[in-house]
Amino acid sequence: MPPSQETEIARVKARIRALAERTVSNGCTEAEAMAAAEMVGRLLERYALSMEEIDLREARCVQVEIPLPGRQRRPIDGCVPAIARFCDCKVWLARDGVGPRYVFFGFETDTALAAYLFQVIGRAMVVEVEHFRAARPALRGVPLRQASTSFQQGMAARLAERLEVMHAEREAGVAAQRQTGTALMLVKHRVVDDAFRETGTRLVSGGRRSLRQNAAFRHGEAAGERVNLNRPVSGNGRGLLE
């Protein structure tokens, strides 16, 4: 591998590690979450353009676990499969004596970015639902809880749709910029699939949950739609993405 290519891969890996190690201590907005997704997509594209087939075949797959509070369903659940696909990972919900947790499986860089995106999007959903609740002081008790859940479900559904589109655009971009791009992505997916089969883990579909597609749900979809992903976050952000 030419030294320049080794340098580029090392640079991308270092940027990914720095991003993954960053703690989202402050609440982030939906705009910041989607800007983070755009940044992750650019890093994954740069990484794919820097790799050769031999590097992909020799790469080691790892698992990254994200502990979950309690056993109840969470609105972000509707976004998790899209996060995994966006980062070229497998994902499953583990339930045992250790406690419930999501497990992302794939290349080290990809799982680190999936965990980072999960964290950022989760925080964004918390902040956005707080704004939604604050704007409706007349809602109380059960109606407030139901509306809040519907809002977050709508937001997760729209974010998932956008992540799927961004994933398709990224793979198309790799194919357009590199003659062997499509073949390399297929090799990458095959390596992850083969490594996953060796773990003996059996994936079972969690089924589709019913969504309350009411006014609150539509407000959540709007929260997941209103950001222009083609421009960076303004200087009013909380420093998550510098």
Side-chain angles (χ1 to χ4, degrees):
M1 183 188 302
S4 60
Q5 192 170 7
E6 288 185 351
T7 301
E8 176 64 11
I9 290 178
R11 184 183 300 118
V12 175
K13 282 187 172 182
R15 185 69 187 91
I16 288 171
R17 281 195 298 272
L19 192 65
E21 290 170 1
R22 180 173 297 166
T23 301
V24 186
S25 55
N26 297 319
C28 58
T29 66
E30 194 272 344
E32 291 166 323
M34 294 312 295
E38 186 181 22
M39 177 189 291
V40 167
R42 289 198 302 268
L43 286 171
L44 289 169
E45 181 175 331
R46 283 174 57 192
Y47 189 60
L49 291 170
S50 303
M51 295 289 280
E52 297 292 345
E53 183 172 340
I54 189 172
D55 303 310
L56 290 172
R57 293 191 181 280
E58 293 178 353
R60 185 173 64 92
C61 288
V62 301
Q63 295 183 13
V64 170
E65 299 185 351
I66 300 179
L68 301 172
R71 295 182 175 275
Q72 291 184 331
R73 284 182 176 269
R74 296 148 294 276
I76 197 175
D77 291 348
C79 208
V80 170
I83 292 173
R85 279 189 290 273
F86 184 72
C87 295
D88 297 325
C89 297
K90 303 286 187 184
V91 67
W92 63 91
L93 180 61
R95 300 176 185 272
D96 52 31
V98 179
R101 61 203 183 279
Y102 276 118
V103 183
F104 288 100
F105 179 91
F107 289 175
E108 181 182 3
T109 51
D110 298 341
T111 54
L113 289 173
Y116 171 75
L117 262 190
F118 179 94
Q119 185 184 41
V120 173
I121 289 175
R123 287 294 303 159
M125 291 181 69
V126 169
V127 171
E128 292 292 335
V129 79
E130 287 175 355
H131 293 164
F132 173 80
R133 291 162 67 98
R136 291 157 181 80
L139 284 178
R140 292 285 190 278
V142 173
L144 177 60
R145 288 195 299 274
Q146 291 177 339
S148 299
T149 298
S150 292
F151 174 88
Q152 289 179 296
Q153 288 174 343
M155 187 173 174
R158 186 61 189 130
L159 289 176
E161 291 173 353
R162 299 187 75 187
L163 286 174
E164 297 284 10
V165 170
M166 291 169 69
H167 175 251
E169 290 175 344
R170 186 179 78 242
E171 295 214 330
V174 170
Q177 294 179 64
R178 183 169 182 169
Q179 194 171 22
T180 58
T182 299
L184 280 172
M185 297 310 293
L186 290 174
V187 169
K188 179 181 181 182
H189 298 160
R190 193 175 303 121
V191 168
V192 173
D193 288 342
D194 291 345
F196 177 73
R197 275 194 293 271
E198 291 178 3
T199 69
T201 303
R202 180 170 169 267
L203 296 184
V204 178
S205 173
R208 295 181 62 86
R209 61 186 302 190
S210 60
L211 303 178
R212 296 189 183 92
Q213 299 197 23
N214 50 21
F217 184 95
R218 290 189 290 277
H219 279 295
E221 286 185 307
E225 174 62 32
R226 60 176 169 246
V227 179
N228 178 2
L229 298 182
N230 295 320
R231 68 177 183 224
V233 177
S234 70
N236 295 327
R238 294 176 174 80
L240 291 174
L241 305 173
E242 64 273 69

PDB file of all heavy atoms in Angstrom, residues 114-133:
ATOM      1  N   ALA A 114     -21.400   3.853  14.728  1.00  0.00           N
ATOM      2  CA  ALA A 114     -22.796   3.507  15.020  1.00  0.00           C
ATOM      3  C   ALA A 114     -23.137   3.866  16.465  1.00  0.00           C
ATOM      4  O   ALA A 114     -24.203   4.429  16.746  1.00  0.00           O
ATOM      5  CB  ALA A 114     -23.028   2.014  14.770  1.00  0.00           C
ATOM      6  N   ALA A 115     -22.233   3.549  17.392  1.00  0.00           N
ATOM      7  CA  ALA A 115     -22.473   3.877  18.802  1.00  0.00           C
ATOM      8  C   ALA A 115     -22.537   5.384  19.002  1.00  0.00           C
ATOM      9  O   ALA A 115     -23.370   5.889  19.765  1.00  0.00           O
ATOM     10  CB  ALA A 115     -21.367   3.268  19.672  1.00  0.00           C
ATOM     11  N   TYR A 116     -21.668   6.105  18.305  1.00  0.00           N
ATOM     12  CA  TYR A 116     -21.677   7.561  18.412  1.00  0.00           C
ATOM     13  C   TYR A 116     -22.991   8.137  17.889  1.00  0.00           C
ATOM     14  O   TYR A 116     -23.611   8.993  18.531  1.00  0.00           O
ATOM     15  CB  TYR A 116     -20.496   8.133  17.641  1.00  0.00           C
ATOM     16  CG  TYR A 116     -20.539   9.645  17.517  1.00  0.00           C
ATOM     17  CD1 TYR A 116     -20.228  10.461  18.595  1.00  0.00           C
ATOM     18  CD2 TYR A 116     -20.919  10.248  16.315  1.00  0.00           C
ATOM     19  CE1 TYR A 116     -20.290  11.844  18.483  1.00  0.00           C
ATOM     20  CE2 TYR A 116     -20.974  11.628  16.201  1.00  0.00           C
ATOM     21  CZ  TYR A 116     -20.660  12.419  17.284  1.00  0.00           C
ATOM     22  OH  TYR A 116     -20.726  13.791  17.174  1.00  0.00           O
ATOM     23  N   LEU A 117     -23.428   7.665  16.723  1.00  0.00           N
ATOM     24  CA  LEU A 117     -24.680   8.169  16.153  1.00  0.00           C
ATOM     25  C   LEU A 117     -25.865   7.861  17.055  1.00  0.00           C
ATOM     26  O   LEU A 117     -26.771   8.684  17.223  1.00  0.00           O
ATOM     27  CB  LEU A 117     -24.915   7.550  14.771  1.00  0.00           C
ATOM     28  CG  LEU A 117     -24.519   8.351  13.549  1.00  0.00           C
ATOM     29  CD1 LEU A 117     -25.053   7.687  12.295  1.00  0.00           C
ATOM     30  CD2 LEU A 117     -25.001   9.789  13.639  1.00  0.00           C
ATOM     31  N   PHE A 118     -25.891   6.651  17.627  1.00  0.00           N
ATOM     32  CA  PHE A 118     -26.965   6.277  18.546  1.00  0.00           C
ATOM     33  C   PHE A 118     -27.027   7.284  19.692  1.00  0.00           C
ATOM     34  O   PHE A 118     -28.107   7.754  20.072  1.00  0.00           O
ATOM     35  CB  PHE A 118     -26.726   4.867  19.081  1.00  0.00           C
ATOM     36  CG  PHE A 118     -27.771   4.390  20.055  1.00  0.00           C
ATOM     37  CD1 PHE A 118     -28.858   3.643  19.616  1.00  0.00           C
ATOM     38  CD2 PHE A 118     -27.676   4.677  21.409  1.00  0.00           C
ATOM     39  CE1 PHE A 118     -29.832   3.207  20.510  1.00  0.00           C
ATOM     40  CE2 PHE A 118     -28.635   4.255  22.310  1.00  0.00           C
ATOM     41  CZ  PHE A 118     -29.711   3.507  21.856  1.00  0.00           C
ATOM     42  N   GLN A 119     -25.881   7.618  20.242  1.00  0.00           N
ATOM     43  CA  GLN A 119     -25.826   8.544  21.372  1.00  0.00           C
ATOM     44  C   GLN A 119     -26.299   9.937  20.984  1.00  0.00           C
ATOM     45  O   GLN A 119     -27.118  10.549  21.680  1.00  0.00           O
ATOM     46  CB  GLN A 119     -24.388   8.610  21.902  1.00  0.00           C
ATOM     47  CG  GLN A 119     -24.230   9.451  23.163  1.00  0.00           C
ATOM     48  CD  GLN A 119     -22.780   9.551  23.586  1.00  0.00           C
ATOM     49  OE1 GLN A 119     -21.885   9.710  22.744  1.00  0.00           O
ATOM     50  NE2 GLN A 119     -22.532   9.465  24.879  1.00  0.00           N
ATOM     51  N   VAL A 120     -25.818  10.430  19.855  1.00  0.00           N
ATOM     52  CA  VAL A 120     -26.173  11.784  19.434  1.00  0.00           C
ATOM     53  C   VAL A 120     -27.661  11.888  19.085  1.00  0.00           C
ATOM     54  O   VAL A 120     -28.340  12.827  19.503  1.00  0.00           O
ATOM     55  CB  VAL A 120     -25.304  12.218  18.231  1.00  0.00           C
ATOM     56  CG1 VAL A 120     -25.773  13.553  17.679  1.00  0.00           C
ATOM     57  CG2 VAL A 120     -23.845  12.318  18.646  1.00  0.00           C
ATOM     58  N   ILE A 121     -28.161  10.910  18.341  1.00  0.00           N
ATOM     59  CA  ILE A 121     -29.574  10.936  17.958  1.00  0.00           C
ATOM     60  C   ILE A 121     -30.466  10.775  19.187  1.00  0.00           C
ATOM     61  O   ILE A 121     -31.503  11.435  19.314  1.00  0.00           O
ATOM     62  CB  ILE A 121     -29.871   9.855  16.907  1.00  0.00           C
ATOM     63  CG1 ILE A 121     -29.239  10.264  15.570  1.00  0.00           C
ATOM     64  CG2 ILE A 121     -31.373   9.650  16.727  1.00  0.00           C
ATOM     65  CD1 ILE A 121     -29.363   9.221  14.476  1.00  0.00           C
ATOM     66  N   GLY A 122     -30.043   9.916  20.122  1.00  0.00           N
ATOM     67  CA  GLY A 122     -30.816   9.749  21.348  1.00  0.00           C
ATOM     68  C   GLY A 122     -30.932  11.047  22.128  1.00  0.00           C
ATOM     69  O   GLY A 122     -32.013  11.414  22.615  1.00  0.00           O
ATOM     70  N   ARG A 123     -29.824  11.772  22.233  1.00  0.00           N
ATOM     71  CA  ARG A 123     -29.849  13.046  22.943  1.00  0.00           C
ATOM     72  C   ARG A 123     -30.712  14.060  22.198  1.00  0.00           C
ATOM     73  O   ARG A 123     -31.450  14.837  22.806  1.00  0.00           O
ATOM     74  CB  ARG A 123     -28.427  13.585  23.096  1.00  0.00           C
ATOM     75  CG  ARG A 123     -27.583  12.847  24.114  1.00  0.00           C
ATOM     76  CD  ARG A 123     -28.113  13.016  25.516  1.00  0.00           C
ATOM     77  NE  ARG A 123     -28.211  14.422  25.910  1.00  0.00           N
ATOM     78  CZ  ARG A 123     -28.999  14.871  26.884  1.00  0.00           C
ATOM     79  NH1 ARG A 123     -29.777  14.032  27.540  1.00  0.00           N
ATOM     80  NH2 ARG A 123     -29.018  16.144  27.194  1.00  0.00           N
ATOM     81  N   ALA A 124     -30.625  14.076  20.885  1.00  0.00           N
ATOM     82  CA  ALA A 124     -31.418  15.013  20.093  1.00  0.00           C
ATOM     83  C   ALA A 124     -32.909  14.771  20.307  1.00  0.00           C
ATOM     84  O   ALA A 124     -33.699  15.716  20.416  1.00  0.00           O
ATOM     85  CB  ALA A 124     -31.066  14.890  18.619  1.00  0.00           C
ATOM     86  N   MET A 125     -33.296  13.490  20.373  1.00  0.00           N
ATOM     87  CA  MET A 125     -34.711  13.168  20.564  1.00  0.00           C
ATOM     88  C   MET A 125     -35.197  13.643  21.932  1.00  0.00           C
ATOM     89  O   MET A 125     -36.336  14.110  22.074  1.00  0.00           O
ATOM     90  CB  MET A 125     -34.925  11.669  20.387  1.00  0.00           C
ATOM     91  CG  MET A 125     -34.728  11.204  18.951  1.00  0.00           C
ATOM     92  SD  MET A 125     -35.008   9.439  18.720  1.00  0.00           S
ATOM     93  CE  MET A 125     -36.789   9.365  18.974  1.00  0.00           C
ATOM     94  N   VAL A 126     -34.343  13.536  22.940  1.00  0.00           N
ATOM     95  CA  VAL A 126     -34.711  14.021  24.281  1.00  0.00           C
ATOM     96  C   VAL A 126     -34.927  15.523  24.258  1.00  0.00           C
ATOM     97  O   VAL A 126     -35.914  16.043  24.794  1.00  0.00           O
ATOM     98  CB  VAL A 126     -33.614  13.648  25.309  1.00  0.00           C
ATOM     99  CG1 VAL A 126     -33.853  14.371  26.632  1.00  0.00           C
ATOM    100  CG2 VAL A 126     -33.593  12.139  25.542  1.00  0.00           C
ATOM    101  N   VAL A 127     -34.005  16.249  23.632  1.00  0.00           N
ATOM    102  CA  VAL A 127     -34.105  17.711  23.585  1.00  0.00           C
ATOM    103  C   VAL A 127     -35.334  18.145  22.792  1.00  0.00           C
ATOM    104  O   VAL A 127     -36.081  19.039  23.214  1.00  0.00           O
ATOM    105  CB  VAL A 127     -32.822  18.311  22.969  1.00  0.00           C
ATOM    106  CG1 VAL A 127     -32.998  19.806  22.695  1.00  0.00           C
ATOM    107  CG2 VAL A 127     -31.649  18.094  23.905  1.00  0.00           C
ATOM    108  N   GLU A 128     -35.561  17.511  21.635  1.00  0.00           N
ATOM    109  CA  GLU A 128     -36.689  17.912  20.792  1.00  0.00           C
ATOM    110  C   GLU A 128     -38.035  17.634  21.466  1.00  0.00           C
ATOM    111  O   GLU A 128     -38.967  18.423  21.347  1.00  0.00           O
ATOM    112  CB  GLU A 128     -36.617  17.190  19.442  1.00  0.00           C
ATOM    113  CG  GLU A 128     -35.463  17.619  18.563  1.00  0.00           C
ATOM    114  CD  GLU A 128     -35.596  19.047  18.056  1.00  0.00           C
ATOM    115  OE1 GLU A 128     -36.736  19.544  17.962  1.00  0.00           O
ATOM    116  OE2 GLU A 128     -34.562  19.653  17.752  1.00  0.00           O
ATOM    117  N   VAL A 129     -38.154  16.519  22.186  1.00  0.00           N
ATOM    118  CA  VAL A 129     -39.428  16.224  22.839  1.00  0.00           C
ATOM    119  C   VAL A 129     -39.661  17.185  24.015  1.00  0.00           C
ATOM    120  O   VAL A 129     -40.808  17.518  24.330  1.00  0.00           O
ATOM    121  CB  VAL A 129     -39.516  14.750  23.288  1.00  0.00           C
ATOM    122  CG1 VAL A 129     -38.759  14.506  24.586  1.00  0.00           C
ATOM    123  CG2 VAL A 129     -40.977  14.334  23.474  1.00  0.00           C
ATOM    124  N   GLU A 130     -38.584  17.639  24.634  1.00  0.00           N
ATOM    125  CA  GLU A 130     -38.748  18.639  25.698  1.00  0.00           C
ATOM    126  C   GLU A 130     -39.297  19.942  25.128  1.00  0.00           C
ATOM    127  O   GLU A 130     -40.159  20.590  25.748  1.00  0.00           O
ATOM    128  CB  GLU A 130     -37.406  18.877  26.399  1.00  0.00           C
ATOM    129  CG  GLU A 130     -36.977  17.728  27.312  1.00  0.00           C
ATOM    130  CD  GLU A 130     -35.589  17.927  27.889  1.00  0.00           C
ATOM    131  OE1 GLU A 130     -34.907  18.912  27.498  1.00  0.00           O
ATOM    132  OE2 GLU A 130     -35.175  17.099  28.722  1.00  0.00           O
ATOM    133  N   HIS A 131     -38.821  20.331  23.957  1.00  0.00           N
ATOM    134  CA  HIS A 131     -39.361  21.530  23.296  1.00  0.00           C
ATOM    135  C   HIS A 131     -40.834  21.326  22.936  1.00  0.00           C
ATOM    136  O   HIS A 131     -41.660  22.239  23.103  1.00  0.00           O
ATOM    137  CB  HIS A 131     -38.560  21.836  22.025  1.00  0.00           C
ATOM    138  CG  HIS A 131     -37.148  22.256  22.289  1.00  0.00           C
ATOM    139  ND1 HIS A 131     -36.178  22.272  21.310  1.00  0.00           N
ATOM    140  CD2 HIS A 131     -36.538  22.678  23.428  1.00  0.00           C
ATOM    141  CE1 HIS A 131     -35.037  22.686  21.833  1.00  0.00           C
ATOM    142  NE2 HIS A 131     -35.231  22.932  23.114  1.00  0.00           N
ATOM    143  N   PHE A 132     -41.147  20.135  22.443  1.00  0.00           N
ATOM    144  CA  PHE A 132     -42.527  19.805  22.079  1.00  0.00           C
ATOM    145  C   PHE A 132     -43.443  19.894  23.301  1.00  0.00           C
ATOM    146  O   PHE A 132     -44.538  20.477  23.234  1.00  0.00           O
ATOM    147  CB  PHE A 132     -42.563  18.393  21.490  1.00  0.00           C
ATOM    148  CG  PHE A 132     -43.948  17.862  21.218  1.00  0.00           C
ATOM    149  CD1 PHE A 132     -44.648  18.233  20.076  1.00  0.00           C
ATOM    150  CD2 PHE A 132     -44.553  16.976  22.110  1.00  0.00           C
ATOM    151  CE1 PHE A 132     -45.926  17.748  19.831  1.00  0.00           C
ATOM    152  CE2 PHE A 132     -45.822  16.481  21.868  1.00  0.00           C
ATOM    153  CZ  PHE A 132     -46.514  16.875  20.731  1.00  0.00           C
ATOM    154  N   ARG A 133     -43.008  19.351  24.419  1.00  0.00           N
ATOM    155  CA  ARG A 133     -43.819  19.366  25.648  1.00  0.00           C
ATOM    156  C   ARG A 133     -43.979  20.788  26.189  1.00  0.00           C
ATOM    157  O   ARG A 133     -45.063  21.178  26.630  1.00  0.00           O
ATOM    158  CB  ARG A 133     -43.179  18.469  26.702  1.00  0.00           C
ATOM    159  CG  ARG A 133     -43.230  16.984  26.368  1.00  0.00           C
ATOM    160  CD  ARG A 133     -42.221  16.187  27.197  1.00  0.00           C
ATOM    161  NE  ARG A 133     -42.560  16.180  28.600  1.00  0.00           N
ATOM    162  CZ  ARG A 133     -43.203  15.191  29.222  1.00  0.00           C
ATOM    163  NH1 ARG A 133     -43.571  14.111  28.536  1.00  0.00           N
ATOM    164  NH2 ARG A 133     -43.466  15.253  30.502  1.00  0.00           N
TER     165      ARG A 133
END
